[in-house]
Amino acid sequence: MYEQEQVKPYDKGNKQEQIRRMFDKIAPTYDRLNHTLSLGIDHSWRRIAVDALRKFQPQQILDVATGTGDFALLLAKRLQPQHITGVDISEGMMAVGQKKIRKAGLQDAISFQWEDCTKLSFPDNSFDAVTSAYGVRNFQDLDAGLSEMRRVLRPGGHLLIVELTSPHRFPMKQLFHLYAHIVMPLIGRIISHDNSAYTYLPASMEAFPQPEQMEDILHKAGFTDVQWKRFTFGISTMYLATTSF
């Protein structure tokens, strides 16, 4: 068991149920908080990550832990695949996403459905690419989630993960620690009215495997050609990996 699997937003219940309950609660304010807390830098992180898939031209994409659909929307606009399926355990988050999809006129390009990421309902070899932006650290079982993402990828398909990580060098490491443990929870409480959600955020970031360990975990899950790139002093990291033919 990885340390991040033991970090939970609330005291009672398994992690998956707590994550579902937390995101259902904060769904209406999630996008505003997300961009506020990152000072808007997350937009550039997402664009760089999406563009890393461009040369592979994936047509069928699965976006795991899709949340309110921000990453799915970006994938649709920048890559123009045939279809993107966004999956999540939070109906509340996807309800917000549905409104954004309709507003963008992309109902035919993107669909949402409830899924347990550790027990995906899709057949083997269903997708050209599987993506997840800022969701895998919330997995109750990281190995099971990655195994399922590997299973539904076609041979030669690509996995793209973008995840929050902890800066590892002075002085950003110390500065970010103060920001994450003082500013993030304060702003989170004011906007979301959830005392736990934005205390959980920095705790889950610090507990999540850092890039070198995550590379080993992805290899263990059956991925090859694992590459990773840190963004903004290591606050966020992109992972790109391939499935074998």
Side-chain angles (χ1 to χ4, degrees), residues 81-94:
Q82 290 178 4
H83 192 75
I84 299 166
T85 304
V87 299
D88 206 287
I89 60 169
S90 170
E91 296 281 4
M93 294 284 278
M94 288 189 290

Side-chain angles (χ1 to χ4, degrees), residues 89-235:
I89 60 169
S90 170
E91 296 281 4
M93 294 284 278
M94 288 189 290
V96 174
Q98 288 283 10
K99 295 178 182 177
K100 291 157 66 173
I101 298 307
R102 287 194 294 270
K103 184 177 179 181
L106 291 170
Q107 302 96 312
D108 294 335
I110 303 171
S111 61
F112 292 132
Q113 66 187 65
W114 187 94
E115 289 280 343
D116 177 348
C117 67
T118 64
K119 301 174 184 176
L120 295 171
S121 65
F122 307 102
D124 295 359
N125 309 325
S126 295
F127 299 96
D128 302 311
V130 175
T131 64
S132 185
Y134 309 109
V136 296
R137 76 179 186 286
N138 299 317
F139 286 4
Q140 179 168 275
D141 187 330
L142 180 58
D143 285 338
L146 293 174
S147 177
E148 279 294 272
M149 294 160 94
R150 169 67 182 85
R151 179 183 67 78
V152 301
L153 267 171
R154 291 173 182 151
H158 294 87
L159 173 71
L160 175 68
I161 291 172
V162 192
E163 191 49 86
L164 295 171
T165 43
S166 297
H168 63 295
R169 292 183 178 175
F170 177 86
M172 183 55 69
K173 179 178 179 179
Q174 289 74 17
L175 291 172
F176 188 76
H177 180 84
L178 293 174
Y179 178 74
H181 288 272
I182 297 174
V183 179
M184 274 187 184
L186 177 60
I187 295 175
R189 282 195 297 271
I190 292 171
I191 297 179
S192 73
H193 306 294
D194 187 306
N195 291 331
S196 299
Y198 289 88
T199 301
Y200 164 77
L201 174 60
S204 66
M205 286 175 60
E206 291 171 350
F208 190 73
Q210 296 303 296
E212 294 83 358
Q213 183 186 0
M214 190 63 178
E215 181 179 353
D216 291 338
I217 291 169
L218 288 168
H219 280 302
K220 177 183 171 185
F223 292 97
T224 60
D225 300 324
V226 179
Q227 306 168 44
W228 50 270
K229 177 181 177 64
R230 284 189 172 100
F231 299 139
T232 316
F233 306 105
I235 297 172

